[in-house]
Amino acid sequence: MALTWIFDLDNTLHDASHGIFPHINRAMTDYMMRHLALTHADAEALRQRYWAQYGATLKGLVRHHGVDPQHFLTTTHPLDELAQWLRWESGLAEAMRRLPGRKIVLSNGPTHYVEGVVERMGIRRHFVDCYGVERLDYLPKPHKAAFRAVLAEHRLDAARCVMVEDSLENLKAAKALGMKTVWISKAARRPAYVDRRIARITELGAP
């Protein structure tokens, strides 16, 4: 049986750090200032605390403040605006084409953003499915329920899946479920729960 490759999106399939993440972070802070009546400093601190505590700012906002998750995600992930900062490797589409097995995107971002980004990169046809956090009942990685939802819906054996990520916490959770793991990083170290470390996503599809 062929492997199923499960890919994170941001900082895995494309570079989100140079423009997209800063804009989303600013949008989240602004949203919290408006809807929670916080100062900029307090909103920024709370955003970072919820991200560290729950793996996603949204989780803390829903749990502690009753924020409408869909409204928050739509407001803070304006695809048409974010697209100006979209950057990816020129050989990405070819790398995905060469890589044998089924491919799925699993992201903590909203579905409209996930689908829009892979479409704009010209690689949507290489994936059998794309998951945003709404499809995971708003439980982001590294919650094991997020991974289990994908495994169950596609009837996948975790031992025949490879999780490709830039986040060590997410890889650790995937490994605990029995998946193989690939870490996108230029770091010299490699934790025991990482099966392979690569610097660039296109190394996966190298001939």
Side-chain angles (χ1 to χ4, degrees):
M1 182 187 297
L3 293 174
T4 296
W5 299 84
I6 304 176
F7 289 87
D8 174 49
L9 178 63
D10 297 322
N11 285 342
T12 296
L13 291 174
H14 72 105
D15 178 9
S17 290
H18 81 283
I20 289 179
F21 271 176
H23 186 89
I24 291 174
N25 290 339
R26 285 193 298 271
M28 288 182 177
T29 298
D30 290 346
Y31 187 100
M32 294 167 71
M33 289 171 63
R34 291 195 307 274
H35 292 271
L36 304 183
L38 298 174
T39 65
H40 183 275
D42 288 344
E44 182 74 7
L46 190 62
R47 178 182 65 78
Q48 294 182 0
R49 179 157 68 86
Y50 285 161
W51 184 85
Q53 184 175 355
Y54 296 111
T57 301
L58 173 61
K59 184 70 175 176
L61 293 176
V62 172
R63 175 170 292 185
H64 299 290
H65 307 278
V67 167
D68 178 347
Q70 195 57 52
H71 183 258
F72 175 79
L73 290 170
T74 302
T75 304
T76 57
H77 291 73
L79 180 62
D80 288 342
E81 190 173 350
L82 295 173
Q84 66 185 298
W85 294 294
L86 189 56
R87 302 287 186 275
W88 67 94
E89 292 183 58
S90 60
L92 178 62
E94 179 62 15
M96 293 298 100
R97 187 189 68 79
R98 286 177 174 168
L99 195 64
R102 291 192 298 173
K103 304 168 193 70
I104 294 170
V105 178
L106 173 58
S107 172
N108 285 348
T111 301
H112 78 272
Y113 168 77
V114 178
E115 290 279 4
V117 168
V118 295
E119 191 69 47
R120 287 172 189 244
M121 290 193 295
I123 59 173
R124 180 61 182 88
R125 68 183 183 276
H126 297 294
F127 297 93
V128 298
D129 209 348
C130 292
Y131 283 82
V133 71
E134 305 100 313
R135 293 183 61 190
L136 309 169
D137 197 25
Y138 297 102
L139 279 175
K141 299 172 293 179
H143 290 278
K144 290 178 183 174
F147 299 97
R148 289 191 178 111
V150 177
L151 295 174
E153 185 165 352
H154 286 272
R155 299 180 180 179
L156 299 173
D157 176 2
R160 298 296 302 165
C161 295
V162 183
M163 187 71 214
V164 185
E165 265 272 6
D166 67 299
S167 164
L168 284 176
E169 283 300 309
N170 294 342
L171 289 174
K172 189 173 184 178
K175 187 67 173 179
L177 289 171
M179 298 185 196
K180 296 177 177 62
T181 54
V182 177
W183 185 29
I184 307 293
S185 174
K186 293 182 172 66
R189 67 190 181 101
R190 181 170 66 85
Y193 51 85
V194 170
D195 294 307
R196 182 183 176 192
R197 179 182 54 78
I198 58 176
R200 302 161 65 89
I201 190 68
T202 50
E203 291 179 39
L204 283 179

